[in-house]
Amino acid sequence: MDTSASIEIAKHTLLSCGLVLAIGTLAAFLAQKIRIPDVVLFLVIGIAIGPQALGLIDIKADSPLNEIILLFGASYILFDGGASLRFDVLKQVWITIVVIATIGVLITAGITGLAAHAVFGVPLIVALLLGATLASTDPATLVPIFRQVRIRDRVAQTVMSESAFNDAMAAIVTFTVLAIATGSGEFSLTASIFDLVKQSVVGIVAGIALGYLAALLIAHEKWAFLAEYAPVVTLVAMIGAYFVATGLEASGFMAVFVFGIMLGNKESFGFKMETGEAQKLDEYVLTTAFIMRVFIFILLGAQVDFGLMRQYWLGGVAVVAVLMLVARPATVFLCTLPDRRARWSFREMLFMCWTRETGVIPAALAGLLSGMKAPGAPMIASVTFIAILATILIQATTTQWLGRRLGLLQTDKD
């Protein structure tokens, strides 16, 4: 590739990024005025300006730029979500979070897979591969929604924590089922449990270590010599947590989420930033998370393949309806009822049944399966995008309404 061609590609990329930011900012302003989560408008606008409509942007799903945006964006939004959680709330609901993020994934995958087997008539193992792909909820969607819709703390933090912790479980289940479907491996319950525990523990340890180090450097009474550079330290440590975890074959997403929890609860370790520096860090995190949200969901919308979806749309809608209306409620009630300590009310469980948006992580898994030419990959990709559109456009837009009807909106007195 000659120099002039490289410059043209760079200019085109820069123009596309500027366009995404400009349109995304206007969309966020409009979303605020009409009182809906901004990710909904980002997704719709992405579809409108993508190659299948106006053609204003065309960043391929398998391009390095898209991969970087997805990887960094999802990591940063997870960090932001972790930083908003509080230890005192997590202590009340940790049993529910662990159960719903592990056993809950299996329940969702199983019910959705059986529905896909009945609807599409594909082999059961292929149908279960679809179920596993759709089994995780999406932190990149849920964290911003709960930033904008003030739901009661323990409910919001449980749903956000579940979405962060169930990614590793869903990925393990997906690739275990893939190994069986392609005949390249056999299912081993012991090996799968060991892999899950390893990914979780190493990811958590990496997040704790880097989170404590970052807090030490920016908020310790004696050692905070980098307090002035808190945003940069935070960014570097977050990236470090991700790569330490993935380098040890663990969950990088879990690491950045725990990193966020550590940094967000640094006062619990006796660390405290000066008011001005803390405000500067908060503003930086909020702005960067917003930019990542704009890019992730506009690009996700732009990459929706309506040609592929058209082949499977009727069956896909049926499977997604089972996912939303059968699999999710069964998962929530089976996983929360045994937790006597949390004492979940029916209204809280009903709300959690409705908040299970599908987004970036299932889309990434579907993309990986397509690239690997996995059995049923076109069907899986199609139904995954139907699930993304349905859950974000229907569930995300009604979150505040449902929270108000169930009396779960946070008030200033709470």
Side-chain angles (χ1 to χ4, degrees):
M1 185 183 295
D2 59 30
T3 305
S4 59
S6 298
I7 291 174
E8 284 304 313
I9 291 174
K11 288 166 66 176
H12 174 73
T13 302
L14 184 60
L15 177 62
S16 297
C17 290
L19 191 62
V20 167
L21 275 177
I23 294 174
T25 302
L26 293 174
F29 175 76
L30 178 60
Q32 189 178 50
K33 290 297 181 185
I34 61 178
R35 297 178 180 274
I36 64 170
D38 54 20
V39 294
V40 176
L41 274 189
F42 295 157
L43 188 70
V44 172
I45 285 171
I47 294 171
I49 66 176
Q52 300 205 28
L54 298 176
L56 296 180
I57 62 168
D58 186 10
I59 297 176
K60 303 297 183 186
D62 58 354
S63 67
L65 176 62
N66 187 68
E67 296 291 341
I68 291 171
I69 290 171
L70 278 183
L71 182 61
F72 179 73
S75 297
Y76 204 90
I77 289 172
L78 267 172
F79 153 68
D80 181 34
S84 69
L85 306 188
R86 291 296 169 261
F87 283 151
D88 58 338
V89 178
L90 295 179
K91 287 176 185 176
Q92 302 172 24
V93 297
W94 70 269
I95 295 174
T96 295
I97 293 169
V98 171
V99 175
I100 202 170
T102 52
I103 297 172
V105 170
L106 297 176
I107 296 171
T108 302
I111 294 175
T112 308
L114 289 173
H117 176 60
V119 169
F120 292 113
V122 296
L124 181 59
I125 195 68
V126 175
L128 289 174
L129 189 58
L130 169 62
T133 303
L134 294 176
S136 68
T137 54
D138 184 45
T141 307
L142 289 163
V143 169
I145 286 174
F146 288 120
R147 279 282 192 191
Q148 295 172 287
V149 180
R150 297 181 63 196
I151 298 297
R152 196 173 293 168
D153 266 351
R154 75 183 205 135
V155 178
Q157 295 193 22
T158 298
V159 174
M160 285 192 289
S161 298
E162 175 207 355
S163 70
F165 287 125
N166 67 16
D167 291 337
M169 181 67 178
I172 291 168
V173 174
T174 299
F175 289 111
T176 298
V177 175
L178 177 63
I180 299 170
T182 56
S184 60
E186 296 182 358
F187 175 72
S188 169
L189 180 61
T190 304
S192 296
I193 292 174
F194 176 79
D195 194 23
L196 174 65
V197 172
K198 178 201 164 188
Q199 285 208 38
S200 302
V201 170
V202 175
I204 290 169
V205 170
I208 289 173
L210 271 296
Y212 189 87
L213 178 62
L216 186 75
L217 295 176
I218 65 175
H220 190 272
E221 187 178 352
K222 293 182 178 179
W223 301 102
F225 59 92
L226 293 177
E228 187 179 350
Y229 305 98
V232 180
V233 172
T234 301
L235 185 61
V236 171
M238 186 209 75
I239 294 172
Y242 179 88
F243 280 103
V244 166
T246 54
L248 296 171
E249 298 183 350
S251 172
F253 287 141
M254 188 171 291
V256 296
F257 182 71
V258 173
F259 170 83
I261 294 176
M262 290 293 292
L263 209 61
N265 290 274
K266 56 186 177 294
E267 289 81 6
S268 301
F269 309 108
F271 300 152
K272 186 173 178 61
M273 296 181 69
E274 292 182 10
T275 305
E277 298 296 342
Q279 184 178 354
K280 185 169 69 174
L281 178 60
D282 288 343
E283 290 171 353
Y284 169 81
V285 170
L286 285 173
T287 302
T288 307
F290 168 74
I291 293 171
M292 292 300 103
R293 200 159 71 239
V294 168
F295 272 102
I296 284 177
F297 286 95
I298 288 183
L299 292 185
L300 196 60
Q303 290 157 9
V304 172
D305 190 338
F306 287 101
L308 183 62
M309 284 173 56
R310 204 173 293 123
Q311 300 175 38
Y312 300 97
W313 76 270
L314 190 58
V317 168
V319 171
V320 172
V322 172
L323 170 70
M324 294 167 61
L325 303 176
V326 180
R328 178 60 178 180
T331 298
V332 169
F333 282 102
L334 289 172
C335 294
T336 55
L337 283 174
D339 187 1
R340 299 299 182 187
R341 184 181 178 184
R343 296 180 181 177
W344 294 106
S345 69
F346 179 76
R347 291 182 301 167
E348 289 172 326
M349 291 187 286
L350 194 61
F351 181 83
M352 287 191 280
C353 289
W354 192 243
T355 48
R356 65 92 45 237
E357 281 79 347
T358 306
V360 175
I361 305 302
L365 287 174
L368 286 171
L369 294 176
S370 296
M372 298 164 68
K373 302 290 190 292
M379 179 268 291
I380 292 170
S382 177
V383 178
T384 299
F385 274 112
I386 292 171
I388 290 170
L389 292 175
T391 57
I392 292 179
L393 296 180
I394 298 172
Q395 291 181 320
T397 54
T398 54
T399 297
Q400 185 165 5
W401 172 84
L402 183 62
R404 184 181 297 112
R405 289 297 299 268
L406 295 175
L408 297 178
L409 289 184
Q410 186 97 341
T411 65
D412 293 333
K413 295 179 182 179
D414 290 341

